[in-house]
Structure formats: C-alpha cells, structure tokens
Amino acid sequence: MNPVLQVSGLSKAFHLHLHGGKHLPVVEGVDFVVNAGECVVLGGPSGAGKSSILKAIYGNYLANSGAIILDDGETAMDVVTASPGAIITLRRHTMGYVSQFLRVIPRVPALEIVAEAARAAGLPADEALERAGRLLAHLNLPERLWNLPPATFSGGEQQRVNIARGFAGNHRFLILDEPTASLDAVNREAVIGLIAERKAQGTAFLGIFHDTEVRERVADRIIDVTRFSPAKEIAA
Amino acid sequence: MSRTAENYRGYNFAYLDEQTKRMIRRAILKAIAIPGYQVPFASREMPMPYGWGTGGVQVTAAILGPSDVLKVIDQGADDTTNAVSIRQFFEKTAGVETTTETEKATVIQTRHRIPEAKLQGHQVLVYQVPIPEPLRFLEPRETETRTLHALAEYGLMHVRLYEDIAQHGHIAKTYAYPVLVADRYVMDPSPIPKFDNPKMDDCAALQLFGAGREKRIYAIPPYTKVVSLDFEDHPFEATKFEQPCALCGATDSYLDEVITDDQGGRMFVCSDTHHCETRRCEGHVGHLGMPVTEAAE
Amino acid sequence: MTNLSASPLLVAEGLSKFYGSRIGCRNVNFALQPGEVLAIVGESGSGKTTLLNLLSGQLAPNAGAVRYRMRDGETKNLLDLSEAERRFLARTDWGFVHQDARNGLRMGVSAGGNIGERLMGVGDRHYGRIRETARGWLDRVEIDTSRIDDKPTQFSGGMRQRLQIARNLVTHPRLVFMDEPTGGLDVSVQARLLDLIRGLVADLGLAVVLVTHDLAVARLLSHRILVMKDGHVIEAGLTDRVLDDPQEAYTQLLVSSVLAA
C-alpha cells in the first residue's frame, strides 16, 4: 500500500460567536487512509460532516485537532499546521478540488479556465491548451462554447467546465464533492471514465457521491462518517 | 560704501541700502556656487510694479559699482519703455554711465533676450525672471518641486516635452526652454527665445537671474555647461528664420515680426536693435532698408 | 505565480504606529513572498491605510521595521534608505494604485505622458520608444490606443483606474500597493477591472498588498488575508479559509455581513 493521504484524530467544530458563542461539533476522531490509485468515498446522511472533512483536508476549513498528512511524492506535509503558502503550493501541485459549483470568473472563456489550471500545474502553454480541449471534448461540451465565458452556460455545462478544470492538472490526489450532481447519464458516464483513467495512473481520490449508481461504480471503499459523529459523546 | 556725489537726491547709491545689497550679494554668491539652483532671497519692494523687472533691478543694484557701464534691453531693444525707465532709474540713483552698445557695457540687464554680440569675461548679464520654477506647471506644490530638484528627479520635465511632441509633432516650446545646468539642476532660462539657448552654454560672462515677485536668484557662472533638454529622436533645435533681417540683412540674428500696414504687410527685423544698427553702420543693407548715410541725410 | 521557495520580498516586523494615544496599528508581523497577493481587510478606521503607508515607507513607524529585498538581492530596512533611494524604489520596483485615480495620475497630462513618466524618470530619452511602450500598455489594460493623447479628465472612472495601473506597471515593479482599487466604481466596471488585475498579477508575477473592505475583491484577488480591527491583526490565513471558516468573532461578523462573498 502506498498512502497518499493519512487522516488521524481529526476533529472539526464550529464556534459561533454571533450566536451566543454556540459550539457546534461536527466530527471527531476521524481516522482513515487513501492510497494511490484508490477511490475512497465518504458515506452517511446529509449533515454528518462529509463536506466538512473534505474542506478540512483541502485547508479550506481549519481543523481543531488531529493531523492531515499529505504525501506530495517527496515529502509528507500536515495540512493542519502548514503555512498558507505551503497549502497554496500543495493545491497547485498535489491536491485538486472539484466542487459542486463552478465559481465563475467573469470574462474568461471556458477553454482558458481549464488551460489555466493546467498551466498552474506546470504544463507549457500549448500542452495546457491541448489538454484543456481534450478534457472538454471528453465531457461533451460543444466546441462552440469553448471560447465563451461560462457565466451564461447551463448548470450542467458549467459543472463540466468545473470538472475539466479539476482534472486539468497533474494532482496525485483529487477531492470530489458531488461532481456528478447536475449531470445527465451520458456525462456521468464520461466522469466515471475520467476517474477510472486517472485511478489507473495512480491518482488517489476522496469523494462524496449521492448518486448510488455512480458511487458503486467508482468507490473502492466507502467510509461511513457517522462513526466520527460526536453526537453520542454530547448525549453522554 | 560711502555716499558719492551722485547720491544728492537722497538715495543710497543704486537705491538699495547697503544691508539689503549685502543680503542679495550673499544670495548671488550662493547661486554662483551652485549653478542653476534657485536661492531664496528677501526681495524688497521696488518703486515699480512686479513684472517690470524688480528681480533684475535688485540684482543689478547689488552688483553695480560707480565705474560700471550699464545697458538695459527689453526684448532686445534699448528704446522701449521698460528699458528706458530702468536705465533712467540707475542714472538717477547711481549716476552710472549707461550705453546701448553691448560691447561697451559691463552690466547688461535684460528682459527676454540675450544680445547677439558674443559676451565677454568682464561682463555680467542680469535676467529679469517672471517664473523661476521650470517644474511649476506640472507640479504646483513648491515643497514637492524642491524635493524633485534636491533629488534631481527630472522625469517630469521630459513629460512636458513629450506632451509637446504628442500634440504638435515637435517640441513646440519656443521660449523659456528648459536647460540642464552643469549636469545637475534643471533651470528655467526666463522667457528668452530658444534661439538664445546655445548662447548660455560655455558663456564667458557671468549670468545672473533675478525673480522679484518669487524671491529667487539663480546663476550660471562663466564657462558652464548648459544643455537644452530634448529627446534622442527629437533633438533640440534653435529657431531658424526663412529670411534675413529686412533692415540690415543679417541671417544669424533673432527676428521680430513688424506689421507695416493694414493690408497684412509685414517685415522681419532684428530684435537686437544695437546689433541691427551696428551692422547698418558697417554698410549692410536689407531688402527693405536703406544705407545709413542716406537715412541720415 | 507564487514562488514559495524564495526568500520573502517584504517583511513587516512588529510594526506599530500611534497617533498620540490613539493606535494606528500595533505589532503587525508578516512576510510577503514574491508573487503573493495579500489582502488587508477591515472596516474604515481599522488601521488598514496606516499599515499600507507604513509598508510603503510613506509613514515612519513608532516601532518595528519593514524589510524589503532589493533587486540586487540585498534586504534592507526601509527606514535605513535615504529619501532618494526610497523614492527611486517607489517609482521603479513598486507601484501604488490609489482608490481615487486623481491621486495617482497627472490629470493634465495625456495618457501616453502618464505612462511614459516613469520611463523618462529613469532616463529614457527616446520619444518614439516611450510612445511605443505606452501604446503597448494601453492595449494591455484595454484602452483604445487611439486615446493615447487624450487626458485622463476625458476618461471614465474605470478607464482611469486601468490607466493608473498601466502607469505603475511600465517599469515592471515587483510589488504593487493597492488601496481600494475598485472603490467607487460601478459593479460591472469593477468586475472588468478585477479581472484585468487578476490577469496582470498572474502574468507578471506581481506581489500585491491590497487594502480593501470588499471581501469579494479579497476573495477574487488574494492568496492570503489579514483581518484588522482597532489597529490589530486579529486573524490571518489563507483567503478561502478565513472567509469560509472564520475563527474570530469580528471576522465572523464581517463575513456574515456581506452577501455571498
């Protein structure tokens, strides 16, 4: 086994200063590993803390305790204690994030959005454009849309631009937060194909998929996050 | 200095009191020591309005001695109101000899011209200056322009020239054309035509500049490098005239346009009246002039 | 692009500034990497502008130091620089984009002259070349090059800001200070300007210290955020972390007070 991500003792709570200092624990004692070439899916009902775990791993949420060790191929780094600069570097080269929604950047054409992600990962400009085109084609985005900014695209079209952007780099670890939510069957299939292709190349995946069919197809393991739920302890 | 016979009218020699002259001389010495640098001085009220040369008059009064010979020109002419009244002022208050001949003068006070005749080492040229600060129109804050001078940050001067070329296709500034003195200070040469700018460079005479209203004195010591600002691809060029002087035929002097009738008739004549007269006395005749001997008859 | 292996470009060490008994800012510490965009956010009067003026050497601190790595690689305390050195630095290796373009432009000078000023300031004496460079920059900031001889007074607010940016970038500075660069502009004009800034910052690898009270601007442009309140830095971190998971009460208030930043 070749672990890319090792999460241990992770806990996350929100402290709401504006609401009388309410303390909202979300998850506690999160422990799991994701190996190279493996797709691990987080399961559990909505509100169980699946998204919070993904965001803590990406550095978007601040973990309250525990360790999130990410191996960038050379050294292992703890996201919980890493400096902002180190996290930016990790995001550029090691871990990618595909969210449910495309945060639209005004005026930048779809192809350029994807190519920019490839360039950020270190690809030369021409190769980046080529890869961007290949990804958009694979995801069935009509070529006439490539040079338009996605602001006016449909939800599904925007989501495919978003996925293409997420897959454009050479990240060895990809976080997928409901990437197929707004896609039709054909395009879900295309995404499943992309995941399989990258898994074969050794990319590690950690994701949330509500669609049971997709989940069954891509998951090597499913982790039920309710077992990290702090509720029991509060009740006790 | 003691009173001389000429001061009978109750004025100290050359109008200003000796304390004031001393103060002005100190400013002049400092100005000479730092070529092109504007030295503040306590400008006095003079019995003439600002704009009539109060700065130049104070400088002249401070450097004049009883044996000096004074020439005063206004736009090159010895016989205009401003020149005549300043000349009379010093005749009255200092009793010095005056002249219209450039070569005979030891002190020449000028407004807006440098004489055509090459100046000599024993001569002093005193300029009347309306606005001494060359950066004024681009940077109105005096605190800031002083800093710019102190740090020799002169990019702004070229912005001004750049704007000229952008607007007119060439550097359209024809007078008060800025110069760099002794590779250090950018200086406004007063509103002389840019035709005269080359005369300031390596000049044998001491050049003093007095701005009365703005209370500044600056100087170019003899034989100082004075360079007119320009661009590599738009080099400085002195004004050239397409025709010679109508009276004396000179081709190397600065010409004034004179309207001769109501039908648009005009002629171009030397702005330096002494220069023109001298040439005509030597027998030079322009296409509208007549020989001096005939004119006298 | 952020170059994180390099040593920092700008370091603030224990910076404090007091106005009598009032605190301008107190004990601010951070390091800015080449290519990094740092946003300083907070309400009016929180000390953002004081900090910006301290960092750019326009104000002397009561305590602390600002260290800057010069182009020759040597790191110097800004306070140790002579005024001439500091001003040279400010007009070559730095840029300063003001909220009000009138403070950053010469309103009586043409667009070309505004862009060319820095070049002439460092000794460029070739009119044709200066003009060519000015045209190139106008194009880059999306101003029609035929407007090169127009004065900024004839420009719209958005165009003035873009001209101000061009005027600053012409000497290829490594660090640009921006004070509410999109303040007072229409939303659509803001979006275009932000997009332009975002592109230029990435292409040129600029380090930016950005003062703004607009969290959306901070999210779009910056890598990292310092949140200021009453002259203190109360929270700092990765931009999306601070905005999505704010820890301090004041930051939570700030974030919850705006519509979807």
Side-chain angles (χ1 to χ4, degrees):
Chain A
M1 282 296 137
N2 182 3
V4 174
L5 175 76
Q6 288 173 279
V7 180
S8 54
L10 172 70
S11 71
K12 175 63 194 164
F14 291 104
H15 192 79
L16 306 178
H17 293 279
L18 304 180
H19 301 277
K22 205 168 167 190
H23 191 74
L24 270 188
V26 181
V27 286
E28 273 174 11
V30 180
D31 276 290
F32 65 87
V33 171
V34 181
N35 295 306
E38 181 184 37
C39 180
V40 173
V41 172
L42 300 181
S46 161
K50 301 188 295 294
S51 265
S52 293
I53 294 174
L54 294 190
K55 285 175 175 169
I57 292 169
Y58 195 59
N60 182 227
Y61 281 0
L62 188 69
N64 297 90
S65 62
I68 299 167
I69 310 292
L70 195 63
D71 185 343
D72 70 2
E74 286 168 16
T75 52
M77 184 119 40
D78 185 354
V79 173
V80 177
T81 56
S83 69
I87 291 179
I88 288 171
T89 307
L90 273 180
R91 288 177 179 184
R92 182 167 296 136
H93 300 292
T94 310
M95 70 173 156
Y97 191 99
V98 182
S99 62
Q100 291 180 59
F101 303 105
L102 176 67
R103 197 184 278 281
V104 180
I105 302 155
R107 300 206 304 154
V108 183
L111 186 68
E112 186 48 33
I113 290 177
V114 180
E116 192 184 306
R119 283 200 303 273
L123 255 69
D126 48 344
E127 273 180 52
L129 265 184
E130 195 198 314
R131 183 183 286 187
R134 214 167 50 230
L135 281 164
L136 289 178
H138 180 84
L139 290 162
N140 307 310
L141 190 79
E143 205 165 339
R144 63 189 158 80
L145 297 180
W146 292 9
N147 287 312
L148 296 176
T152 55
F153 292 7
S154 72
E157 284 162 351
Q158 288 196 12
Q159 183 52 12
R160 280 176 274 154
V161 174
N162 198 24
I163 293 166
R165 178 167 65 170
F167 278 83
N170 291 324
H171 303 115
R172 64 202 310 258
F173 175 59
L174 278 176
I175 298 169
L176 307 174
D177 190 353
E178 298 258 29
T180 56
S182 50
L183 300 184
D184 58 24
V186 175
N187 288 311
R188 273 204 301 273
E189 204 55 46
V191 175
I192 292 168
L194 272 183
I195 295 172
E197 185 187 319
R198 286 289 290 271
K199 262 167 66 177
Q201 291 164 14
T203 304
F205 286 90
L206 177 66
I208 304 172
F209 294 91
H210 275 194
D211 186 314
T212 22
E213 188 207 324
V214 179
R215 187 165 54 197
E216 295 306 323
R217 296 266 307 273
V218 299
D220 293 299
R221 275 187 297 137
I222 296 177
I223 296 170
D224 181 1
V225 302
T226 53
R227 70 181 215 238
F228 308 128
S229 171
K232 294 181 292 253
E233 291 157 50
I234 281 175
Chain B
M1 187 183 293
S2 66
R3 284 175 163 248
T4 61
E6 289 83 3
N7 305 127
Y8 62 91
R9 289 165 204 271
Y11 292 112
N12 188 33
F13 177 79
Y15 185 76
L16 290 177
D17 63 275
E18 293 306 310
Q19 283 298 334
T20 299
K21 287 187 195 173
R22 207 167 294 160
M23 174 272 293
I24 294 174
R25 286 177 199 138
R26 275 192 216 109
I28 291 172
L29 284 173
K30 182 168 179 182
I32 293 169
I34 317 170
Y37 172 72
Q38 299 166 48
V39 182
F41 79 109
S43 179
R44 296 292 194 249
E45 291 289 334
M46 297 302 283
M48 61 187 74
Y50 287 129
W52 283 66
T54 55
V57 167
Q58 290 180 76
V59 170
T60 300
I63 63 170
L64 215 54
S67 59
D68 271 315
V69 180
L70 178 68
K71 172 183 163 84
V72 183
I73 51 172
D74 174 10
Q75 306 264 19
D78 293 273
D79 54 4
T80 57
T81 317
N82 196 221
V84 170
S85 51
I86 291 173
R87 196 159 58 231
Q88 284 177 351
F89 174 80
F90 283 112
E91 281 168 0
K92 227 177 242 177
T93 61
V96 292
E97 190 188 335
T98 57
T99 182
T100 58
E101 290 176 44
T102 305
E103 294 78 4
K104 276 182 70 176
T106 55
V107 175
I108 304 170
Q109 181 170 331
T110 177
R111 172 175 178 267
H112 300 190
R113 273 309 312 275
I114 298 175
E116 304 293 0
K118 198 173 166 65
L119 298 177
Q120 306 300 316
H122 67 281
Q123 296 180 307
V124 180
L125 185 60
V126 178
Y127 296 75
Q128 301 171 198
V129 180
I131 297 168
E133 180 49 72
L135 299 160
R136 174 76 44 88
F137 292 100
L138 290 156
E139 178 51 72
R141 289 170 295 178
E142 182 76 13
T143 47
E144 182 66 11
T145 54
R146 284 196 210 186
T147 309
L148 294 176
H149 281 297
L151 302 177
E153 280 180 22
Y154 289 131
L156 261 185
M157 277 326 298
H158 276 85
V159 171
R160 194 169 162 184
L161 300 179
Y162 168 96
E163 291 291 285
D164 249 22
I165 304 174
Q167 268 182 42
H168 307 289
H170 59 98
I171 299 175
K173 197 148 186 56
T174 54
Y175 65 95
Y177 192 106
V179 292
L180 181 66
V181 179
D183 296 319
R184 177 58 181 83
Y185 284 96
V186 164
M187 187 194 90
D188 187 317
S190 86
I192 59 169
K194 69 172 179 175
F195 176 90
D196 286 339
N197 270 24
K199 294 178 191 164
M200 288 185 289
D201 180 38
D202 202 34
C203 177
L206 169 64
Q207 303 173 74
L208 300 175
F209 299 77
R213 178 175 35 210
E214 303 233 2
K215 304 177 171 58
R216 293 287 184 279
I217 286 171
Y218 50 101
I220 303 174
Y223 303 109
T224 298
K225 182 174 165 191
V226 178
V227 179
S228 302
L229 302 184
D230 61 2
F231 286 102
E232 289 161 27
D233 48 345
H234 285 268
F236 171 82
E237 263 180 60
T239 313
K240 288 193 185 71
F241 295 92
E242 288 163 8
Q243 46 190 307
C245 169
L247 296 178
C248 77
T251 55
D252 58 351
S253 69
Y254 187 76
L255 303 180
D256 281 340
E257 184 181 9
V258 180
I259 307 292
T260 53
D261 56 34
D262 291 343
Q263 276 75 54
R266 62 183 66 184
M267 62 195 275
F268 288 90
V269 298
C270 287
S271 110
D272 184 336
T273 51
H274 167 67
H275 180 70
C276 202
E277 267 164 40
T278 308
R279 283 180 49 83
R280 280 187 286 153
C281 288
E282 287 165 9
H284 299 283
V285 183
H287 66 285
L288 292 174
M290 53 180 114
V292 171
T293 45
E294 281 174 43
E297 280 165 13
Chain C
M1 207 173 284
T2 327
N3 186 353
L4 293 153
S5 52
S7 53
L9 190 61
L10 184 81
V11 178
E13 278 175 15
L15 271 185
S16 296
K17 177 73 186 173
F18 305 103
Y19 302 103
S21 59
R22 210 162 56 76
I23 296 172
C25 74
R26 182 167 213 163
N27 195 26
V28 176
N29 296 282
F30 69 84
L32 184 73
Q33 300 295 332
E36 189 182 17
V37 180
L38 175 74
I40 302 171
V41 304
E43 293 171 337
S44 308
S46 59
K48 304 190 299 276
T49 302
T50 294
L51 180 56
L52 192 68
N53 288 335
L54 289 172
L55 295 175
S56 56
Q58 296 179 64
L59 201 61
N62 293 102
V66 180
R67 302 192 192 283
Y68 183 73
R69 187 156 52 77
M70 312 289 277
R71 281 190 180 180
D72 62 8
E74 201 183 331
T75 297
K76 285 191 175 165
N77 185 348
L78 290 186
L79 287 176
D80 295 340
L81 295 181
S82 68
E83 191 181 2
E85 287 174 302
R86 194 177 58 68
R87 287 174 67 114
F88 183 78
L89 187 69
R91 65 171 198 270
T92 54
D93 210 19
W94 290 358
F96 210 111
V97 177
H98 299 262
Q99 171 172 11
D100 186 345
R102 278 171 299 188
N103 295 330
L105 291 173
R106 290 193 191 277
M107 297 305 281
V109 169
S110 69
N114 264 294
I115 298 177
E117 181 176 341
R118 279 179 164 223
L119 296 175
M120 294 181 246
V122 293
D124 200 329
R125 294 288 177 263
H126 193 282
Y127 175 81
R129 217 159 45 216
I130 291 166
R131 210 163 160 77
E132 209 42 54
T133 310
R135 272 209 195 88
W137 274 101
L138 282 176
D139 194 46
R140 200 148 180 189
V141 298
E142 303 170 15
I143 296 175
D144 191 333
T145 52
S146 68
R147 305 292 301 270
I148 188 168
D149 294 329
D150 290 348
K151 295 193 166 79
T153 44
Q154 294 159 274
F155 287 4
S156 67
M159 283 170 78
R160 285 181 194 178
Q161 285 309 61
R162 281 180 274 137
L163 180 62
Q164 206 191 158
I165 289 165
R167 172 181 157 89
N168 273 287
L169 297 187
V170 68
T171 48
H172 300 287
R174 292 181 302 159
L175 173 61
V176 179
F177 298 97
M178 297 186 182
D179 190 1
E180 305 277 9
T182 59
L185 297 176
D186 290 346
V187 178
S188 62
V189 175
Q190 272 197 26
R192 182 176 182 188
L193 183 65
L194 286 173
D195 188 35
L196 179 84
I197 294 174
R198 205 181 132 270
L200 287 171
V201 164
D203 290 351
L204 303 172
L206 296 176
V208 177
V209 176
L210 167 77
V211 160
T212 183
H213 68 272
D214 187 335
L215 299 184
V217 169
R219 185 188 288 271
L220 195 59
L221 293 182
S222 72
H223 300 115
R224 200 149 57 95
I225 283 187
L226 299 184
V227 183
M228 289 194 77
K229 182 174 188 290
D230 302 332
H232 298 260
V233 174
I234 56 154
E235 185 162 358
L238 209 58
T239 296
D240 62 87
R241 206 282 292 152
V242 172
L243 295 180
D244 293 341
D245 186 17
Q247 303 296 304
E248 297 297 319
Y250 176 73
T251 317
Q252 290 185 358
L253 176 67
L254 212 56
V255 170
S256 66
S257 304
V258 290
L259 301 165

